[in-house]
Amino acid sequence: DRRRINGPPGGTSAPIFASALSSDQTIEKLRPTRTRQADELRKIFLKTGLTPSASGSAYLELQVPNSPSQSLIPQRSTLKLSCTVHGPRPLPRSAQFSSNLVLTTTVKFAPFATRQRRGYVRDSTERDLAVHLETALKGILIGERWPKSGVDVVVTVLEGEEDGWWGDELSGGASGAGKGGGWGLMNVLAGCITVSCAAIVEAGIDCVDMVTGGVAAAVLDDTTAQKARRKGTAGDDDGNSGSVLAVLDPSPPEHREVIAACVVGYLSQRDEITELWMKGNAGADAEALVDRAVQAAVATRAVLVQAVIESGQAR
């Protein structure tokens, strides 16, 4: 094609400085650690009205602390979500009559959202997240006020939370935080709930309350685990060395092992939970883990309220 500058005919690859990652000890030094308190959330950036062609839109991003690293590979992953709301608009003539508002949710990962490049066609994971998101949003919409109408909520994941630290894959992943997989999807779902609610409110759709997503996890305390390994003591019955710590807004790369995680969609004013998804083996602490996730959702609501107020003032 003479109208554009073509690349080289053969395949190319980016240079990898493997000398810095030659040993497991060097890789272990690059492992990120959690500097936040157990009940402290990452800073959230939430902005509405970014897509003028949509009825409502919002953008959410989690701030990741900058830390010096000897590798070109980022130590932590962050979360960047974009949501657009189209509607309410009349249903097509061929659609079945509905006296309530018909909600359609779509969650799609961008091909570059994760370290493993994703396809352009939605897979089972994305469809599962869309079902969870639809369940969370149905509890806030007043569907009786929009008969024979439909609304589409589309969430695009520009950057998704990783399930674990990339160094565990290089060292074999025997004790990696990503063991079991799927932990990053909990943060993705919580972000989808919050950003979708902001876009729905910006679109002017009647709601009973604003729903926010919160995540809590039971992780292995790294400090206690390291002391146990130095002394050579045995772990608990599950094979874990150290104590279990409950944290809010967990980042899987910052923890060696995630035992259980819970995400909720919570309505603060009505004190109701519209969505609950738990993963892992929480055991007798399942109810306490749900309470911690609710606490995270309440803290996220302050950011959502401020974003809605700024959107109203801008209008």
Side-chain angles (χ1 to χ4, degrees), residues 50-62:
L50 270 68
T51 308
S53 60
S55 302
S57 61
Y59 173 79
L60 183 142
E61 180 177 347
L62 296 181

Side-chain angles (χ1 to χ4, degrees), residues 41 68 79 157 159 185 275 281 294 308:
L41 277 66
L79 187 63
V157 182
E159 184 174 353
L185 297 178
E275 168 62 22
N281 185 15
V294 169
V308 171

Side-chain angles (χ1 to χ4, degrees), residues 14-84:
I16 299 177
F17 301 93
S19 59
L21 305 176
S22 57
S23 62
D24 294 342
Q25 295 180 355
T26 305
I27 296 177
E28 192 66 23
K29 293 180 181 179
L30 301 176
R31 177 184 292 275
T33 56
R34 182 184 176 101
T35 58
R36 299 174 284 129
Q37 299 295 329
D39 57 349
E40 183 180 355
L41 277 66
R42 287 172 288 185
K43 294 183 179 180
I44 303 174
F45 175 81
L46 183 59
K47 181 73 173 179
T48 60
L50 270 68
T51 308
S53 60
S55 302
S57 61
Y59 173 79
L60 183 142
E61 180 177 347
L62 296 181
Q63 182 182 6
V64 177
N66 295 327
S67 57
S69 176
Q70 300 176 358
S71 174
L72 298 177
I73 307 176
Q75 291 184 332
R76 302 175 181 87
S77 58
T78 183
L79 187 63
K80 298 178 181 179
L81 304 175
S82 175
C83 177
T84 57

Side-chain angles (χ1 to χ4, degrees), residues 224-252:
T224 308
Q226 291 177 2
K227 292 181 179 179
R229 283 193 297 270
R230 291 171 184 173
K231 295 180 180 179
T233 58
D236 53 9
D237 297 337
D238 298 332
N240 299 326
S241 299
S243 60
V244 178
L245 180 65
V247 297
L248 304 184
D249 188 20
S251 179

Side-chain angles (χ1 to χ4, degrees), residues 86-165:
H86 304 277
R89 51 192 178 188
L91 293 175
R93 293 175 178 266
S94 58
Q96 187 178 4
F97 173 79
S98 177
S99 58
N100 296 328
L101 181 67
V102 178
L103 174 64
T104 303
T105 57
T106 303
V107 178
K108 184 69 183 74
F109 281 83
F112 49 84
T114 56
R115 293 183 63 246
Q116 300 295 333
R117 189 170 180 86
R118 307 183 71 98
Y120 292 93
V121 181
R122 286 204 307 161
D123 55 13
S124 59
T125 301
E126 296 166 335
R127 291 192 293 268
D128 189 21
L129 288 175
V131 172
H132 285 288
L133 179 60
E134 182 180 357
T135 305
L137 297 180
K138 276 187 175 180
I140 66 171
L141 297 178
I142 306 178
E144 297 82 1
R145 299 185 180 180
W146 304 92
K148 299 184 294 183
S149 301
V151 59
D152 298 330
V153 179
V154 182
V155 179
T156 303
V157 182
L158 301 177
E159 184 174 353
E161 192 86 59
E162 297 289 344
D163 296 336
W165 184 51

